Each structure stands twice: as structure tokens, then as C-alpha cells.
């Protein structure tokens, strides 16, 4: 059983893969060479068989963790009776060319007194399913399998014989390093290195740190946001950047797999893929912050998926893809892993990838429209692909589907799916008009208007005095919090106000929002789940648009207290207040950005008025 909780981690990465570092100095999750590659370190899901890269003081200590300001460089501080030490963790940023070469950099520093570090490097390749060979050399070590090689370089000066002791035990490498105040040493673990382990001098090591800090500060300086909660939004922006695969612009939903929505339950999914839905939200959020380059690249990724039309049963688009745009996401379970705190099965791949989820077409068109309005215009080929997509949707929108939450309890006429089909047609009509593009606009308009009338008659439940999850139920669903933000209903419409009040009573608990009640609307899975942090921030956004600013601000400030020690959010919050689900979750941080900007603008309007 792993010792560290999900939230007891910070995230580092190089824009092609990422690692989680615990507050006690252990890298508990790292996949190589990509986000969706097999893990090398997986202690987060099985402490005995998963593998780890631990750096800890030899003696009892108190630990704290922080990010170096305005960067993705993580500092874990250890305080002992003998002194204070730090482990500075980062990955040197990769470029836009896909590569197998990645570097985990671990800088060990003694800042006061003396510090003795114990380092334990125990890789477990291919999710712990493949044995490896270990070779110790003069300047480090090599861990190798037939498909992947990790090279450990030592950071030291020529007279360092007194500082370190190295030994190999059952294929793992253990290092003892004794430092005094002012000493800086460390280790670099590199995949697909060009040569054998080499001695890295401290000056070169420091240059890696300086270059990485400069990269992140230069990137963050492109943000145009100057409103309230600026540092919180900047941390979310950095987190989203860390989850973006630079060669394609695809953003993973989370860098992890198998972390439970209920501890001990079966809702343990693989999120290391790019969802069309998440892609669409990210374009919107990043553009609102001023990150046009990322938005343009992600728009390109999305338009490529639209143009390919390689979807399965769900139509021309799949709901998710690998970061390179491929769509092989076969689901299987890692039966040899115990799972986070016994939560099994541990799944890799995602069997929901071929579901019919009609909302993705609205999210895709909404984001493309939003980007188009801000100068990222669609070219001729892109428009042809959009036109074909909407022509397909005109034939297929009026049918049961699986819905946004990827439930496995059978298809329904989900109100949210219909809502986003309305959005798809509405945005397509607007783009055709604004650019004078040829399209079957009359057909699209007829479909859009039919959806509107259908939702208002079948999606509205007079007994509940609210819009409901699907036409055959009276269950509330927090995905419908978007009805006002996409422009389907006016924020002050009495029907919308009563829907919000119904959600207040049934889905909201102390600012935290459940997706829906699985007991009232069976989803084909056992167990329950926590509140969904995406929905909690969507609730803030909806309250702000409805003019309930005091409620919105209090809910937002409360939500911020559920962040972990370095400002990261997982997918859900348990009844105990602990973070559960995959971590960190892009959707949550995207919704945080949107909610903060909407609320900030509403507060400014009120102050100005």
C-alpha cells in the first residue's frame, strides 16, 4: 500500500511526459517516453511492484513542498535537527519533435547545517511486467530492457569521493550522499541517452535549472490576465501546459490512470488520453488567458480530428484519442497491481472510446467558433470538414446515446447531449454567415430549432421545476450548468433560476457539486463517487452569470481550500475532503480558469455600476 495520498504530490514535466513527486521526495508515477506509455515508476498504484525513485533524509524529518515561483520546478524541503535540505525536481523542456529522450533532474541541496540523503532508484518497466538489467559504471548506472533504457548520471565534482556511496541491490541502485551547508549535488535520469553515464559538473547542473526556470517564466509572461486570483490561475495554466503533448498540442485529461473515484471501488479509469471535450474547453480557457499559441495548436489538433473522420459507431469523431491522434485505446486491467489503497481493477486503455456521445460535436464547434472569432480562422479544408460533420449530425442528433459522463448503463436521450447538438448547429450557422461560407444553413437551422423545442418540452420536468438528465427521468445533472454559458437559456430566465435552486438542494453540498445521483439514475457501475470538481467550478460560473455574485464568490473561495498544498486539483473530492480520482485533472483546472474569469468580470461590472 502506498504511503502518500493522491494530493500529497506535485507535478513536473517536459511537455511530452510528466512525473508525480510526493511530499516525502518520492517519484511515484512516471511514464516514458510519453504520457500514455507504460510506467517506469508506479508506486502510486502499487508500492511494492510499481517502482519508485526516492530521495529522503537519513534521519527523521518534517517535509514541505512548493513550486519555484512562476515555474514548474518543484522544491521539496526537509527539516531535521541537524539541518535543512532540499530536493529540486524538474524535467528539461522537450521541443515539438516527438522524442524518446527525456531527463528527470533531481538537484540535492543542503541549505543549513548538514544533511544525509538516501536515494533509492527502483524502476519497474512496462507497469512492472518486464524485468530489467542494471549495470553500474564509474559515473552512474544503466537500467535497460529490450525496448527502453534509462541512464543515471551523477552530478558531482572531481574530489567527491567523500560525498557518495553507491551500491546495487537486486537490480535497484541505492546511493548515500552526505552534504554540508552550501553543497549542491544530484542525479539525472535520462531515457534514450546518446552515450554511457557521465559525470555532470555542478555548473552544468545549475545551467539546466536556470534554463528551465527561464523557459517557464518566459511562457507565463505571455498571459494577459490581470484580474483577481491571478496566481491561482497562473498555477492552473502551468499545470495545463504540463499536460500538453508539445508535438501535436493534444492535452491529456490527466497524466495518471487507475486512481479511484471511490477508494476501494471499481471506478478507476485511464485518463492519459486527449478527449475532444477537454480539447474544446482548453481552447476556450487558454484564449481567455491570452495563450494564443497553445490555443492555435490545439485548434489544429481538433480540426485534424474533424477532417480525418475516422470515428467508429459514434460518428465522424471519436470521443478521445491518444496524444498523437491515433485511436487505439483497447482497455485492459493490470491484475498484478493492488491499486491505490486497494482500489481495483487498475485499468489501462479506455473502453469508453467508442461510445456515442453526441455532446462532443457541440463542444468541438463551440471552441472552433470561439477561436475563429479571435482571429484563429478556419481555412477552406477545415470548413469543408466542419460542413460534413454538421451534415452528419443533422441526420443523427435525435437518438439515444451514452452521455457526457461515459456511463455504462445503456443509451438515453440525454438533455446535455441535445443541448450541445444545438450549440453545434448554432455555431456552424454563425460561422457560415460571418464568413460567407457555403453550407446547408436552412437544414442546420431547422435542426437547431427542433432541438430547442424538444429540450424545452421533453428536457424540462414540470414536477421538478427543472431541466433534467434525460427525457425518461426526473434526475438532475450538473452538466446542465452549462445551459446559460452556451447561450441556450438566458441567465435570469425563471426556468433556469428554478433549475439552479433545485441543484442547490440536491447536488450541492458546501459549494461542492455532484455530477448526478447514481442511486436515482443507475450508470452500470458499482459504488458511489465524490463531488466532481469540474462541476463545482461550473456551478460558480453559472451563479455568477445568474447574478448571484455573493453565492458565487463564496463557493469559489471555498473550492480553493480543497486544492492541495501546491494548488493542484484531482477529479473529485471525497466526503472526507480528500482528493480522489485521476490527478491532476485538466478539466478541473480549465473550469477553475473559466469560473474565475467569469466571476471576476461580473464583480468588475458590479463595482463599475
Amino acid at each position: 500500500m502506498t504511503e502518500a495520498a493522491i494530493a500529497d504530490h506535485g507535478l513536473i514535466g517536459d511537455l511530452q511526459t510528466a512525473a508525480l513527486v510526493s511530499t516525502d521526495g518520492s517519484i511515484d508515477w512516471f511514464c516514458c517516453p510519453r504520457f500514455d506509455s507504460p510506467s517506469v515508476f508506479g508506486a502510486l498504484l502499487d508500492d511494492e511492484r510499481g517502482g519508485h525513485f526516492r530521495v529522503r533524509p537519513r534521519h527523521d524529518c518534517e517535509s514541505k513542498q512548493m513550486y519555484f515561483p512562476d515555474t514548474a520546478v518543484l522544491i521539496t524541503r526537509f527539516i531535521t535537527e541537524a539541518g535543512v535540505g532540499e530536493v529540486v525536481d524538474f524535467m528539461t523542456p522537450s521541443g515539438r519533435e516527438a522524442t524518446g529522450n527525456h531527463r528527470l533532474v533531481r538537484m540535492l541541496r543542503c541549505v543549513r547545517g548538514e544533511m544525509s540523503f538516501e536515494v533509492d532508484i527502483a524502476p519497474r518497466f512496462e507497469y512492472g511486467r518486464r524485468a530489467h538489467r542494471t549495470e553500474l559504471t564509474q559515473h552512474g548506472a544503466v537500467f535497460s530492457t529490450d525496448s527502453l533504457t534509462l541512464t543515471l548520471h551523477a552530478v558531482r565534482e572531481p574530489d567527491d569521493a567523500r560525498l557518495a556511496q553507491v551500491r546495487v541491490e537486486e537490480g535497484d541502485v541505492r546511493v548515500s550522499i552526505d552534504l554540508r551547508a552550501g553543497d549542491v549535488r544530484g542525479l539525472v535520469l535520462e531515457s534514450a541517452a546518446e552515450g554511457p553515464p557521465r559525470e555532470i559538473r555542478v555548473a552544468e547542473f545549475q545551467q539546466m535549472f536556470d534554463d528551465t526556470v527561464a523557459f517557464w517564466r518566459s511562457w507565463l509572461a505571455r498571459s494577459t490576465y490581470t484580474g483577481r486570483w491571478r496566481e491561482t490561475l497562473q498555477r492552473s495554466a502551468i499545470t495545463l501546459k504540463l499536460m500538453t503533448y508539445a508535438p501535436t498540442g493534444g492535452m491529456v485529461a490527466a497524466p495518471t490512470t487507475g486512481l479511484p473515484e471511490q477508494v476501494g471501488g471499481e471506478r478507476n479509469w485511464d485518463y492519459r488520453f486527449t478527449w475532444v471535450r477537454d480539447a474544446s474547453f482548453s481552447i476556450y480557457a487558454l484564449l481567455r488567458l491570452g495563450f494564443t499559441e497553445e490555443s492555435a495548436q490545439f485548434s489544429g489538433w481538433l480540426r485534424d480530428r474533424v477532417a480525418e473522420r475516422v470515428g467508429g459507431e459514434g460518428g465522424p469523431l471519436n470521443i478521445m484519442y491518444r496524444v498523437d491522434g491515433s485511436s487505439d485505446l483497447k482497455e485492459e486491467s493490470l491484475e498484478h497491481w493492488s491499486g491505490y489503497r486497494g482500489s481495483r481493477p487498475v485499468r489501462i486503455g479506455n473502453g469508453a472510446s467508442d461510445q456515442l456521445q453526441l455532446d462532443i460535436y457541440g463542444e468541438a464547434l463551440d471552441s472552433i467558433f470561439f477561436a475563429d472569432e479571435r482571429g484563429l480562422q478556419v481555412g477552406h479544408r477545415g470548413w469543408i470538414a466542419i460542413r460534413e460533420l454538421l451534415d452528419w449530425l443533422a441526420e443523427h442528433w435525435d437518438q439515444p446515446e451514452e452521455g457526457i459522463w461515459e456511463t455504462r448503463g445503456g443509451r438515453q436521450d440525454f438533455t446535455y447531449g441535445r443541448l450541445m447538438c444545438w450549440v453545434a448547429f448554432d455555431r456552424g450557422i454563425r460561422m457560415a454567415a460571418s464568413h460567407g461560407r457555403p453550407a446547408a444553413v436552412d437544414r442546420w437551422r431547422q435542426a437547431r430549432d427542433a432541438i430547442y423545442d424538444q429540450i424545452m418540452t421533453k428536457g424540462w420536468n414540470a414536477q421538478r421545476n427543472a431541466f433534467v438528465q434525460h427525457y425518461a427521468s426526473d434526475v438532475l445533472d450538473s452538466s446542465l450548468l452549462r445551459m446559460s454559458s452556451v447561450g441556450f437559456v438566458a441567465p435570469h430566465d425563471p426556468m433556469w433560476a428554478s433549475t439552479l435552486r433545485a441543484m442547490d438542494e440536491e447536488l450541492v453540498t458546501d459549494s461542492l457539486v455532484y455530477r448526478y445521483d447514481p442511486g436515482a439514475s443507475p450508470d452500470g457501475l458499482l459504488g458511489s463517487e465524490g463531488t466532481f470538481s469540474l462541476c463545482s467550478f461550473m456551478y460558480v460560473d453559472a451563479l455568477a452569470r445568474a447574478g448571484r455574485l455573493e453565492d458565487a464568490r463564496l463557493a469559489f473561495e471555498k473550492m480553493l481550500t480543497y486544492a492541495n498544498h501546491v494548488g493542484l486539483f484531482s477529479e473529485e473530492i471525497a466526503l472526507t475532503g480528500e482528493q480522489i480520482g485521476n490527478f491532476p485533472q485538466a478539466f478541473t483546472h480549465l473550469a477553475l480558469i473559466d469560473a474565475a474569469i467569469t466571476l471576476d468580470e461580473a464583480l468588475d461590472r458590479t463595482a463599475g455600476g
Side-chain angles (χ1 to χ4, degrees), residues 4-9 20 29 44-45 253-272 340-341 343 515 528-533 568-575 577-586 588:
I6 292 171
D8 290 342
H9 292 84
L20 291 179
W29 185 254
L44 188 61
L45 292 172
T256 56
T257 182
L259 293 179
E261 296 175 17
Q262 178 189 27
V263 174
E266 67 168 341
R267 299 165 184 260
N268 319 314
W269 312 111
D270 192 345
Y271 275 17
R272 297 171 300 156
Y340 176 81
R341 289 168 56 186
S343 303
R515 295 191 290 184
S528 60
E529 62 181 16
T531 55
F532 211 69
S533 296
L568 304 183
F569 284 91
S570 68
E571 184 177 17
E572 300 185 11
I573 305 295
L575 186 63
E578 71 173 310
Q579 298 204 32
I580 53 176
N582 284 302
F583 173 88
Q585 195 205 27
T588 302

Side-chain angles (χ1 to χ4, degrees), residues 122-407:
R124 298 292 181 266
F125 292 83
E126 190 79 31
Y127 304 110
R129 297 182 295 193
R130 179 170 296 189
H132 68 274
R133 302 173 294 277
T134 303
E135 177 189 359
L136 197 63
T137 73
Q138 180 182 0
H139 299 304
V142 178
F143 307 93
S144 60
T145 68
D146 293 339
S147 58
L148 183 63
T149 297
L150 296 177
T151 301
L152 183 70
H153 307 286
V155 177
R156 62 189 183 191
E157 298 296 336
D159 61 347
D160 270 3
R162 64 178 178 83
L163 293 180
Q165 297 178 340
V166 183
R167 59 195 184 278
V168 176
E169 298 178 7
E170 297 181 351
D172 302 337
V173 171
R174 292 181 168 84
V175 184
S176 299
I177 302 176
D178 299 323
L179 302 178
R180 302 191 187 99
D183 286 343
V184 176
R185 296 297 184 269
L187 300 160
V188 176
L189 188 64
E190 183 177 16
S191 64
E194 291 185 355
R198 65 185 182 89
E199 182 178 270
I200 297 176
R201 302 290 292 272
V202 173
E204 181 185 349
F205 201 43
Q206 183 65 42
Q207 191 62 52
M208 292 182 190
F209 171 84
D210 292 342
D211 290 346
T212 302
V213 167
F215 169 86
W216 284 105
R217 288 185 169 171
S218 174
W219 179 80
L220 192 61
R222 288 159 39 201
S223 172
T224 58
Y225 183 76
T226 58
R228 299 170 181 83
W229 309 290
R230 183 166 178 261
E231 289 188 1
T232 298
L233 269 64
Q234 287 180 334
R235 179 52 52 197
S236 287
I238 290 173
T239 303
L240 294 170
K241 180 71 170 174
L242 281 169
M243 289 190 276
T244 300
Y245 185 64
T248 63
M251 180 186 294
V252 294
T256 56
T257 182
L259 293 179
E261 296 175 17
Q262 178 189 27
V263 174
E266 67 168 341
R267 299 165 184 260
N268 319 314
W269 312 111
D270 192 345
Y271 275 17
R272 297 171 300 156
F273 309 118
T274 301
W275 269 251
V276 168
R277 186 179 300 115
D278 297 38
S280 304
F281 274 77
S282 68
I283 293 169
Y284 188 80
L286 292 173
L287 272 177
R288 294 182 83 184
L289 287 177
F291 292 108
T292 55
E293 183 178 330
E294 283 71 23
S295 301
Q297 192 180 16
F298 220 158
S299 294
W301 180 93
L302 185 57
R303 286 195 294 267
D304 287 345
R305 306 291 82 76
V306 171
E308 285 170 355
R309 295 177 59 87
V310 296
E313 285 186 35
L317 280 178
N318 286 332
I319 67 170
M320 69 183 91
Y321 300 83
R322 291 191 178 276
V323 290
D324 62 0
S326 61
S327 53
D328 175 21
L329 281 74
K330 181 182 177 182
E331 185 176 301
E332 60 178 301
S333 298
L334 300 177
E335 300 296 341
H336 63 294
W337 272 9
S338 61
Y340 176 81
R341 289 168 56 186
S343 303
R344 303 183 66 193
V346 176
R347 294 182 177 91
I348 56 175
N350 201 308
S353 60
D354 60 354
Q355 285 190 350
L356 175 64
Q357 297 182 15
L358 292 173
D359 66 281
I360 63 173
Y361 298 99
E363 281 134 2
L365 265 295
D366 193 35
S367 62
I368 291 173
F369 170 75
F370 187 78
D372 185 82
E373 280 196 315
R374 283 150 183 80
L376 302 177
Q377 293 187 8
V378 176
H380 173 68
R381 291 183 180 177
W383 178 250
I384 296 301
I386 289 170
R387 194 172 68 182
E388 291 174 351
L389 184 151
L390 287 173
D391 288 342
W392 176 89
L393 192 61
E395 293 285 341
H396 294 89
W397 67 264
D398 195 10
Q399 62 174 310
E401 37 122 12
E402 271 92 2
I404 180 177
W405 304 130
E406 292 164 21
T407 58

Side-chain angles (χ1 to χ4, degrees), residues 534-594:
L534 158 73
C535 300
S536 299
F537 285 118
M538 284 167 51
Y539 179 61
V540 171
D541 188 280
L543 290 174
R545 293 177 187 275
R548 294 171 53 182
L549 296 187
E550 286 295 327
D551 292 341
R553 186 162 193 174
L554 181 59
F556 185 76
E557 295 286 2
K558 281 185 175 181
M559 267 304 297
L560 295 186
T561 70
Y562 289 101
N564 82 341
H565 57 287
V566 286
L568 304 183
F569 284 91
S570 68
E571 184 177 17
E572 300 185 11
I573 305 295
L575 186 63
T576 59
E578 71 173 310
Q579 298 204 32
I580 53 176
N582 284 302
F583 173 88
Q585 195 205 27
F587 232 164
T588 302
H589 286 274
L590 291 164
L592 184 159
I593 291 169
D594 281 340

Side-chain angles (χ1 to χ4, degrees), residues 390-545:
L390 287 173
D391 288 342
W392 176 89
L393 192 61
E395 293 285 341
H396 294 89
W397 67 264
D398 195 10
Q399 62 174 310
E401 37 122 12
E402 271 92 2
I404 180 177
W405 304 130
E406 292 164 21
T407 58
R408 303 191 181 192
R411 294 182 177 181
Q412 299 287 349
D413 292 303
F414 284 103
T415 305
Y416 182 76
R418 296 296 203 278
L419 167 71
M420 296 312 294
C421 287
W422 177 91
V423 170
F425 290 118
D426 180 73
R427 302 320 189 244
I429 292 165
R430 294 192 195 191
M431 290 175 68
S434 63
H435 297 300
R437 299 278 174 82
V441 174
D442 289 341
R443 187 185 187 199
W444 297 354
R445 186 177 292 110
Q446 184 179 12
R448 181 194 66 181
D449 295 348
I451 296 169
Y452 181 90
D453 290 337
Q454 187 185 91
I455 291 175
M456 286 301 184
T457 54
K458 295 184 178 182
W460 172 259
N461 186 291
Q463 285 70 42
R464 296 302 310 271
N465 206 22
F467 292 101
V468 291
Q469 184 182 65
H470 60 80
Y471 296 168
S473 77
D474 61 358
V475 174
L476 301 178
D477 191 312
S478 60
S479 65
L480 297 177
L481 286 165
R482 295 200 70 210
M483 293 185 85
S484 65
S485 67
V486 299
F488 183 86
V489 297
H492 301 285
D493 189 305
M495 297 174 72
W496 180 236
S498 64
T499 299
L500 270 182
R501 287 194 298 271
M503 289 186 183
D504 290 341
E505 296 172 2
E506 186 169 307
L507 298 181
V508 181
T509 169
D510 190 41
S511 83
L512 301 173
V513 181
Y514 289 98
R515 295 191 290 184
Y516 55 92
D517 179 1
S521 178
D523 55 15
L525 298 165
L526 297 175
S528 60
E529 62 181 16
T531 55
F532 211 69
S533 296
L534 158 73
C535 300
S536 299
F537 285 118
M538 284 167 51
Y539 179 61
V540 171
D541 188 280
L543 290 174
R545 293 177 187 275

